[in-house]
């Protein structure tokens, strides 16, 4: 899921926790202006917000910017997102920029959550070695070796040669049985 943040009308602000002079949207806003106006400060649940990787900033019914969230900061009862505006060529940005609000709901809450199919490839998932860490790849760097070595230790007496011979034998018997090579 991604978080959708809907900008209100342009207004100047004083004592803004993010040091801004205005919030809200105005015509021909640039993507970075929209991100600065939209990244805070919102009443939102930090546990839910912290699980999102992308934020879609909407104003006047269309997507004005898409940002990647790197951190949250809490300002009293409000929350702001830290992050970077996605640039041209990023599939999540290119699919939504200038398009209608992807979280078009009847709710007036400016904060909403929506599924974006394009974000799936970037979402954090548990490392395949079982270490409990997560990342946007199958394994944290170097952990694929750890996962393989764990299996060699547990099932092949610590012998990489036995493991390789076993893989070859399995593939050979599967080919002999007319099975499809899945590698
Ligand atoms: Zn791992």
């Amino acid at each position: 899921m991604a978080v959708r943040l809907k900008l209100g009308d342009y207004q100047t602000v004083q004592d803004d926790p993010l040091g801004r002079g205005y919030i809200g949207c105005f015509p021909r806003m640039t993507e970075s202006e929209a991100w600065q106006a939209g990244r805070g400060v919102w009443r939102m649940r930090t546990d839910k917000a912290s699980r999102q990787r992308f934020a879609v900033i909407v104003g006047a019914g269309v997507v004005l910017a898409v940002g990647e969230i790197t951190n949250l900061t809490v300002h009293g009862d409000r929350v702001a997102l830290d992050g970077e505006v996605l640039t041209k060529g990023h599939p999540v940005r290119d699919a939504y920029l200038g398009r209608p609000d992807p979280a078009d709901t009847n709710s007036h809450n400016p904060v909403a959550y929506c599924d974006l199919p394009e974000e799936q490839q970037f979402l954090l998932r548990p490392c395949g070695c079982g270490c409990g860490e997560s990342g946007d790849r199958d394994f944290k760097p170097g952990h694929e070796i750890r996962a393989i070595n764990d299996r060699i230790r547990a099932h092949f007496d610590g012998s990489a040669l036995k493991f390789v011979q076993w893989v070859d034998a399995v593939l050979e018997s599967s080919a002999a049985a007319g099975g499809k090579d899945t590698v």
Side-chain angles (χ1 to χ4, degrees):
M1 273 198 301
V3 59
R4 186 288 314 269
L5 302 163
K6 196 174 355 184
L7 299 181
D9 294 334
Y10 174 87
Q11 55 181 293
T12 56
V13 288
Q14 287 179 336
D15 302 324
D16 178 62
L18 304 180
R20 299 168 300 183
Y22 66 87
I23 56 173
C25 73
F26 55 84
R28 292 180 293 282
M29 243 179 158
T30 66
E31 289 170 67
S32 38
E33 286 168 342
W35 170 252
Q36 283 305 323
R39 69 186 189 86
V41 286
W42 303 101
R43 284 181 205 279
M44 62 201 300
R45 284 174 44 193
T46 51
D47 58 340
K48 194 162 187 189
S50 66
R51 289 199 299 270
Q52 315 307 320
R53 179 151 183 195
F54 297 105
V56 176
I57 311 297
V58 168
V62 298
V63 174
L64 300 177
V66 183
E68 180 166 4
I69 304 165
T70 54
N71 194 24
L72 301 181
T73 53
V74 176
H75 306 271
D77 63 348
R78 303 291 181 118
V79 176
L81 309 177
D82 287 336
E84 308 282 342
V85 189
L86 297 182
T87 53
K88 193 169 167 52
H90 193 291
V92 178
R93 178 255 188 208
D94 291 357
Y96 295 96
L97 192 79
R99 309 298 283 263
D101 183 352
D104 199 14
T105 64
N106 291 324
S107 163
H108 290 292
N109 192 336
V111 180
Y113 296 88
C114 54
D115 283 310
L116 307 178
E118 294 77 7
E119 71 176 334
Q120 290 307 320
Q121 60 186 306
F122 300 102
L123 293 187
L124 299 181
R125 51 191 187 270
C127 176
C129 89
C131 65
E133 295 179 52
S134 55
D136 57 1
R137 309 265 171 107
D138 290 342
F139 292 96
K140 300 290 282 182
H143 289 206
E144 59 273 71
I145 300 300
R146 185 191 290 186
I148 291 167
N149 283 337
D150 282 351
R151 281 151 186 79
I152 291 173
R153 250 194 314 277
H155 304 290
F156 299 93
D157 307 323
S159 163
L161 178 63
K162 283 188 189 173
F163 169 68
V164 168
Q165 289 170 337
W166 174 81
V167 171
D168 289 348
V170 167
L171 292 175
E172 209 166 288
S173 68
S174 140
K180 271 206 169 145
D181 190 347
T182 55
V183 176

